[in-house]
Amino acid sequence: SFTSLTGDERPSGVALVETAGGVCSPAPSGALQCDVLRPLRLPAILVGDPKLGGISTTIASLETLAARGYDVVAIVMSGSACGNVDAVEQYASEFNQVGGGEDARGIPTFALPPVPERRIVGDVVGHGREIYEWLDDGRDVFDALLTHATSWHRERVRKMRTAPDEALRTLWWPFTQHDATPRENVTVIDSRCGEDFGVYSPDSNAIELRFDGAASWWTQGASKAEQTRLVRAASAAAGRYGHVMFPENVHAPALDAASELLKGAGRDWATRVFYSDNGSTAMEVAVKMAIRTYFVRKGFIPSPEKASDAADFLPQVRVLALDGSYHGDTLGTMDMQAPSVFTGPLQTPWYKPRGIFLRPPTLQMREGRWGVIQPERGPLPGGGGLAAVTTHGAREREEGWATREEAFDHETRDETPLAKAYRAVVDAALDEAEADAKENGAPPVAALVMECVLHGAGGMDLIDPTFQRATIQACRARGLPVVLDEVFAGIWRLGAEGAWELLGEKPDVSCYAKLFTGGLTPLAATATTEEVFDAFRGPTKQNALLHGHSYTAYPIGCAVAAEAQRMYRDPLINDNLVEMGGGDARAASGPLRVGGGPLRVGGPGPPRLRLRELWDEHAARAISALPCVKGVTVIGCVLAIELEDSVGGGGGGG
Ligand SMILES: Cc1ncc(COP(=O)(O)O)c(C=O)c1O
């Protein structure tokens, strides 16, 4: 009922929730009151402090509330000889809040008469009759405050009610057919609270919590309590740096986030971190890096110094990629993807698939057991004659596995006929490409590019890890750099910090975004080995990596990324962590931490951590046995349920 919003047409009332002490005074649990009350999204009336030092206390409280996303509707202060009211009023009159709009700039300050001194009344300290006189004297101010608060509230409701119309008029949503989006389908998000959105419901005229089942495009990783930790990192970096350009510059957040990535997802393979803004650009730069590495490895560029001289003679190249992988929507990333409705001529006639696309076998739990699902044969959809290479016909143990772990038991599975069949398919595809390059001048394959372990946007398909291992090994054997796209799968989403760990194969280049910043700021990283970095060294700028973005390595994003990575990895904060051997990561948190600082890097180091299974396996098994369910995929934070399609053929346009 605290969140119920009363509109004009209903009888109105006012409820005041008075906190004890200041906004940062602890609640009984020890958490700060401003954190405990935050999910309710109650508008705040800040009672200022008229005493000596009170300007600072009041302004600090205002900043604290604003940093947590509160709407501060008004400040009310009793007068004093210290001049606090004037100072606070001046500060608050310029205070800008989220979504306030031009008219709502500034917070009004209401000045009450000075509160009478407390004195001894009978045998207690308190106020006598004069407090009633003070209330009387302040009546006009209280009335004005109530009028202001009521009209503020009406305005809040009005804005939420009209937001869908304004959105339909002025915004352009991604992946959305506006003509097929009726007004009532537009969700008005008032705030986020851990795993939920606070959504305005016009029916109940209230803010309701709705579970964010897609973790906001898989970016979210912080609990309601830990969100504040990331906000703090962001505001400290914003306050200190704002934005600063990056080439030949360095700042602490850039070093901090890189160091966390190299000791986390990049541990044991990566030595360099290149920053960009989002997953798509991280992938574009990854492919640029991989192609140069290929040229150097194959001797097209005899030495990095010669890179610019040789540029005219370098061939066009292709990549080996997977049908169903998604790497983004920029023109470059589209070319790494197999044809689909997202790359069709209606989207852009510039699309030019630059891949040999393997159609991968997947794993799914069906009727309680895990098994390999071989892909369909046939040309790629919308494909311009492009055929997908499939592993169809390769046979797996018919009985499948009781647990997913068995399907990820690489030692055993690598020896099976299926693994050998996978390798043969990949080798045959690469042989054919090599022959095509030699005989017909077709672009040679220069790199392997694939999403790691799970096709996220492509439908939550868990790719058979034995197939991905075979593909990586085949490419490595031919000197092709391996680019993994861990934008979705990396940084714990599938239970391991680096998704490559689940494959037991290290990449040459890998991309991280989404969870990298805990869902707070957009930032991506392309991590590489030293060999890849070396491919761009040389005496001139021409053969350097001439790629960057205005906001490359912006300090706010880096500060959040550093904090998010530490937060996930700290067993004292993240109680879902377990040690690889099944031990309790909390119990081990003593030796894992060095001087209270982050985990040790290099050498034998601390044991690698995993997330405990977050979904109830028995429930997932039972769901997979339901007649309306075709199969279930469950790994790390992901639970995907594929329903039987009785109508037939959903299609990419659905
Ligand atoms: C695997 C993968 N790669 C790349 C991207 C593109 O990332 P962004 O949307 O940040 O450009 C996505 C986005 O969903 C993704 O899932």
Side-chain angles (χ1 to χ4, degrees), residues 218 278-280 326-328 451 485 487-488 514:
W218 321 310
N278 55 61
S280 312
Y326 173 77
H327 304 297
E451 261 186 273
D485 180 346
V487 168
F488 168 81
K514 297 191 186 279

Side-chain angles (χ1 to χ4, degrees), residues 269-342:
W269 69 273
T271 59
R272 298 276 169 175
V273 174
F274 185 95
Y275 290 111
S276 58
D277 306 357
N278 55 61
S280 312
T281 47
M283 280 304 294
E284 296 223 353
V285 75
V287 169
K288 287 188 185 181
M289 291 168 172
I291 292 172
R292 173 71 69 84
T293 307
Y294 166 82
F295 285 154
V296 172
R297 277 189 191 173
K298 296 292 172 186
F300 285 100
I301 299 171
S303 69
E305 289 77 20
K306 301 259 172 61
S308 53
D309 301 335
D312 290 345
F313 311 106
L314 295 174
Q316 286 290 316
V317 292
R318 290 188 281 180
V319 295
L320 186 67
L322 300 189
D323 180 26
S325 270
Y326 173 77
H327 304 297
D329 296 319
T330 52
L331 292 169
T333 53
M334 284 167 74
D335 289 359
M336 311 168 202
Q337 290 163 203
S340 75
V341 67
F342 295 98

